[in-house]
Amino acid sequence: MIQQLIEKIQKTKAPICVGLDPMLSYIPEHIVKKSFHEFGETLEGAADAIWQFNKEIVDHTFDLIPSVKPQIAMYEQFGLEGLAVYQKTVKYCQEKGLVVIGDIKRGDIGSTSAAYATGHIGHVQVGNNSFAGFGTEFITVNPYFGTDGVKPFVDVCNKEDRGLFILVKTSNPSSGEFQDKLIDGRPLYELVAEKVVEWGGMSMDGAYSNVGAVVGATYPEMSRILRKLMPNTYFLVPGYGAQGGTAEDLKYCFNEDGLGAIVNSSRGIIAAYKQEKYAKFGAEHFAEASRQAVMDMVADINSVL
């Protein structure tokens, strides 16, 4: 699966993914009003507004990018109506030729991890029939349970030709409370990185593994170390833009071949129209603002590679 993502990155010359993480506050008033008029101020109304918002952004950016990353929590907050829109968004993006990274951050004991993997990247057996639940190409995974929690995901990846991004060094300010703690003189994130390489060896796909790593753009010196520790691991890089990471910061996430990382931007793209830089587009043309923000992000990142 990682080779399919790499091919799309090379074709678009855009090592980025758009985070489809919609909050109602990001959605222009005219869309929300229309959905509420049709469905009321209900979970169904909120979910419809999210769907209309997502569809416009995808329609205006799909030809520029290789991938999207919907964060499932933004949909779960609206219950079953929200999850239905998550699934609808996944399928729509796939129809547009995009690789979908389901940002679900799951991880548990073996049987539970196996069920998560089945639901999100695998197929569930129902009598004589087999069904894909959400059917994303990649998912994010929390490694806190160790091999017991990760290997079931790797097994499904191998069976279904899917991929993972394991949390290694995240972009949030308090990530160091655990991830930077020294164990036998080394930070925990380095030990996790070594396990990711071990797990990745079970699922190689050419020069890179289907088992990738989440490495935040907000800690460039750490990403430099992690790149050396994980030369054959693809990085999913959050933290660019709204969280403070710059193109200069994230260049260490890439290998000399210009590959090795895909950079995410969520509100920096989907809520671009709210930024002063893109205010000229206005709320009515929010999707055009998102398209321009994608082009600017691609140019910015490519300028340092």
Side-chain angles (χ1 to χ4, degrees):
M1 177 50 65
I2 194 62
Q3 282 302 316
Q4 292 184 39
L5 178 58
I6 290 170
E7 287 169 9
K8 289 183 180 295
I9 290 171
Q10 291 174 320
K11 182 178 179 180
T12 57
K13 297 181 174 59
I16 74 169
C17 63
V18 172
L20 297 176
D21 306 349
M23 300 287 285
L24 279 180
S25 60
Y26 296 170
I27 302 176
E29 188 177 358
H30 68 277
I31 292 179
V32 175
K33 280 187 173 180
K34 184 177 179 181
S35 294
F36 283 180
H37 178 74
E38 185 171 354
F39 298 102
E41 294 183 1
T42 62
L43 293 175
E44 188 178 8
D48 182 72
I50 287 170
W51 164 243
Q52 300 301 333
F53 181 70
N54 282 355
K55 185 175 182 298
E56 281 290 302
I57 289 172
V58 172
D59 286 346
H60 282 79
T61 60
F62 76 93
D63 59 316
L64 302 175
I65 60 176
S67 178
V68 293
K69 184 179 72 64
Q71 162 52 256
I72 199 168
M74 301 304 177
Y75 303 84
E76 286 178 336
Q77 64 183 326
F78 300 108
L80 293 179
E81 299 287 353
L83 278 177
V85 168
Y86 175 83
Q87 184 178 48
K88 193 174 181 180
T89 297
V90 168
K91 301 307 177 189
Y92 189 71
C93 290
Q94 291 169 333
E95 289 169 6
K96 292 290 188 178
L98 297 168
V99 172
V100 180
I101 302 169
D103 195 354
I104 66 170
K105 295 185 178 70
R106 300 297 200 264
D108 210 310
I109 60 170
S111 60
T112 312
S113 280
Y116 280 137
T118 295
H120 286 275
I121 55 175
H123 286 77
V124 65
Q125 197 69 29
V126 182
N128 294 319
N129 300 312
S130 180
F131 300 97
F134 292 107
T136 58
E137 281 80 16
F138 287 84
I139 52 174
T140 55
V141 171
N142 190 322
Y144 198 78
F145 284 82
T147 300
D148 290 340
V150 174
K151 190 174 182 298
F153 288 102
V154 178
D155 291 342
V156 174
C157 283
N158 290 337
K159 180 181 178 182
E160 303 276 354
D161 188 22
R162 291 294 188 259
L164 311 173
F165 288 103
I166 310 289
L167 305 181
V168 175
K169 178 56 186 172
T170 57
S171 59
N172 58 300
S174 65
S175 65
E177 290 178 358
F178 295 133
Q179 295 167 20
D180 298 357
K181 290 298 183 184
L182 297 183
I183 301 174
D184 296 330
R186 299 180 66 197
L188 178 59
Y189 64 80
E190 288 190 14
L191 304 183
V192 176
E194 290 178 351
K195 291 301 291 185
V196 169
V197 171
E198 178 185 322
W199 297 324
M202 305 175 190
S203 188
M204 295 301 296
D205 184 14
Y208 290 94
S209 172
N210 289 317
V211 180
V214 175
V215 177
T218 47
Y219 302 102
E221 289 306 313
M222 296 175 185
S223 65
R224 189 203 296 258
I225 293 167
L226 290 169
R227 182 74 280 167
K228 291 178 180 177
L229 286 174
M230 299 186 284
N232 304 112
T233 302
Y234 232 83
F235 288 6
L236 171 62
V237 186
Y240 172 86
Q243 292 187 52
T246 67
E248 191 69 24
D249 292 334
L250 57 82
K251 69 181 181 181
Y252 303 117
C253 294
F254 291 84
N255 281 317
E256 291 182 3
D257 58 5
L259 299 173
I262 184 165
V263 183
N264 178 75
S265 179
S266 298
R267 63 184 180 271
I269 301 295
I270 65 175
Y273 77 98
K274 289 178 170 285
Q275 301 175 36
E276 184 177 350
K277 182 178 180 181
Y278 304 107
K280 63 183 179 182
F281 290 95
E284 288 288 335
H285 300 285
F286 71 94
E288 285 91 339
S290 294
R291 181 178 180 85
Q292 186 61 54
V294 165
M295 291 190 288
D296 292 345
M297 178 180 176
V298 172
D300 187 33
I301 292 171
N302 285 335
S303 72
V304 301
L305 293 184

